[in-house]
Amino acid sequence: MKIAKLFGLTFSLIVASTIWGCGGGGGGTPAPPATVVSGVAAKGLINGGTVNVFAVDQSGAVGAAPIGTGSTNADGSYSVSVGPYSGALLVRVTGGTYKDESASPSAPPVSLPMPLRAAVAGASGNVSVSVTPITELAVQKAGDTSLPPTAITDANTLVSGLFKVDNIISTKPVAPSATDFATASQAQKDYTILLAGISQLASQTSGGLQTVLGAMSSDINNTGKLSVTTATGLTGALTTFLSGPNNQTGVTDINQTNLAGIGGLSAVVKLSTVGSLSPGTLIGGLEATFSLPTGVTLRADFSNGQPLAGVVTASGAAATGSFVAAKYVPASGAVPGTVTLALISSSGFGVGEFVTINCDVAAGVNVPTPSQFVVISFGPVVDQNGAPISGLTPALTVM
């Protein structure tokens, strides 16, 4: 395509395929498949913890006796077979020891001070369930002792969003070491650093982990969000951990994670072109770079600077037949974060909105105004044959 040669931003298209399998057969109702519940238990990685899996019925009632029992390994992993089962489940981990990430690496393991739980709705077959202080907060939000499946799903989604973790149930924390981080996904790094920040906050708080989780649970249960005090306290603890001598992850700046916006707001930024096109002319591609206000971040994979799926999307006039590539550079010191994007359209598009960007806004920071975003460069803008188009300017709105 001619216009692709005009753009300096490298395009890469990653296609992910998810294949869903379903069973069926003739005659009667097939038995549900054998169900194995496995995952990682972490507050640091929990070694020697007892894992109990409980059935949860449609009303939310939790079974009195476990339907499967196991224990965690040195890396926090566990696997429990519960036989043929379909429905909601509660996983509870008690006892065991873990390395406190906020303490010296040479410090001895400490005992898990409280049970941790995680709940999942609609389990069948092989089910991956992480059990952490964050999933414990979701269980408490879902109803604590009564866990209707819809409430479980809603609470897991809410808490994942509040703490900026891709999925608190399916994402598996890893050891907070440079070795493990070398092969971990961005979501795993974020989750692991989040748990280390909670350890840091607990070490600074009278009453430790129970007090920290109690304050967070009170916020979430009463308002559906974290208070500014709680969110900024956790963000401060994360910063302290990342810059401290006990951090072995290799990540030293909260802006190199997706955790800077914990407990904050969201902002939707829409970019548009303003002006007019000659008759018969359509936009075939364009580039733009702009800086972000203080406290505004994008969720990204920081190994390559690419925003996560759904963060930057073609929209409006360019919604059909367009591909957009973006690179996010987080803020560093006094230098603001920037977003560079390039859009190519196979069908062409007219003047108006062309891209939507979903941003996180840190706790205590107001949703920014359009004037706080500074357009560093705009263009080239070209038609479908790669010929330059003049006279168009950018506009930006924030919702």
Side-chain angles (χ1 to χ4, degrees):
M1 189 176 190
K2 293 181 180 179
I3 63 172
K5 297 179 181 179
L6 297 178
F7 296 97
L9 191 64
T10 300
F11 285 85
S12 61
L13 182 60
I14 300 173
V15 179
S17 297
T18 302
I19 301 175
W20 292 84
C22 58
T29 302
T35 300
V36 176
V37 184
S38 63
V40 170
K43 168 52 236 87
L45 300 177
I46 298 169
N47 180 31
T50 299
V51 182
N52 287 305
V53 181
F54 298 87
V56 179
D57 68 21
Q58 285 296 309
S59 72
V62 180
I67 58 175
T69 299
S71 60
T72 62
N73 301 311
D75 61 357
S77 64
Y78 71 91
S79 181
V80 177
S81 176
V82 296
Y85 183 84
S86 181
L89 291 171
L90 176 72
V91 183
R92 186 183 69 194
V93 175
T94 55
T97 61
Y98 64 94
K99 295 282 289 185
D100 186 343
E101 309 96 311
S102 67
S104 167
S106 61
V110 296
S111 297
L112 184 67
M114 59 182 288
L116 298 177
R117 299 171 294 171
V120 60
S124 64
N126 294 327
V127 185
S128 179
V129 183
S130 291
V131 185
T132 72
I134 307 303
T135 62
E136 171 64 29
L137 291 173
V139 170
Q140 293 180 23
K141 174 61 177 174
D144 199 12
T145 57
S146 178
L147 302 169
T150 55
I152 291 172
T153 299
D154 290 347
N156 287 337
T157 300
L158 172 67
V159 174
S160 294
L162 287 176
F163 288 94
K164 312 306 179 187
V165 173
D166 181 54
N167 186 313
I168 61 172
I169 297 297
S170 62
T171 302
K172 295 180 180 180
V174 298
S177 69
T179 299
D180 284 71
F181 269 42
T183 56
S185 68
Q186 186 63 50
Q188 289 178 300
K189 295 175 186 178
D190 292 338
Y191 208 168
T192 301
I193 291 172
L194 172 62
L195 296 178
I198 289 177
S199 284
Q200 182 70 48
L201 185 59
S203 72
Q204 303 167 184
T205 304
S206 176
L209 182 63
Q210 292 96 324
T211 298
V212 167
L213 293 186
M216 292 177 179
S217 181
S218 178
D219 286 349
I220 295 169
N221 289 341
N222 291 332
T223 66
K225 59 184 180 180
L226 296 177
S227 68
V228 172
T229 298
T230 300
T232 54
L234 178 54
T235 301
L238 283 163
T239 300
T240 298
F241 168 75
L242 289 171
S243 62
N246 298 326
N247 173 18
Q248 305 294 306
T249 66
V251 179
T252 58
D253 186 344
I254 194 172
N255 289 315
Q256 290 290 334
T257 75
N258 291 304
L259 304 174
I262 281 176
L265 305 171
S266 297
V268 178
V269 176
K270 294 182 178 289
L271 272 67
S272 303
T273 52
V274 177
S276 59
L277 298 170
S278 300
T281 300
L282 292 173
I283 299 170
L286 55 78
E287 280 191 1
T289 298
F290 61 96
S291 65
L292 302 172
T294 300
V296 177
T297 57
L298 266 61
R299 297 192 204 181
D301 181 342
F302 293 93
S303 67
N304 55 28
Q306 292 184 359
L308 300 181
V311 172
V312 180
T313 57
S315 61
T320 302
S322 297
F323 171 72
V324 60
K327 184 176 180 63
Y328 168 56
V329 178
S332 178
V335 179
T338 59
V339 181
T340 298
L341 59 88
L343 184 147
I344 289 179
S345 174
S346 61
S347 57
F349 59 95
V351 170
E353 176 191 323
F354 62 87
V355 75
T356 296
I357 303 173
N358 295 295
C359 303
D360 290 328
V361 183
V365 176
N366 294 326
V367 172
T369 62
S371 63
Q372 292 177 280
F373 295 81
V374 178
V375 177
I376 299 171
S377 65
F378 182 69
V381 181
V382 299
D383 67 17
Q384 290 177 284
N385 293 315
I389 297 174
S390 60
L392 298 182
T393 58
L396 186 147
T397 60
V398 183
M399 296 185 293

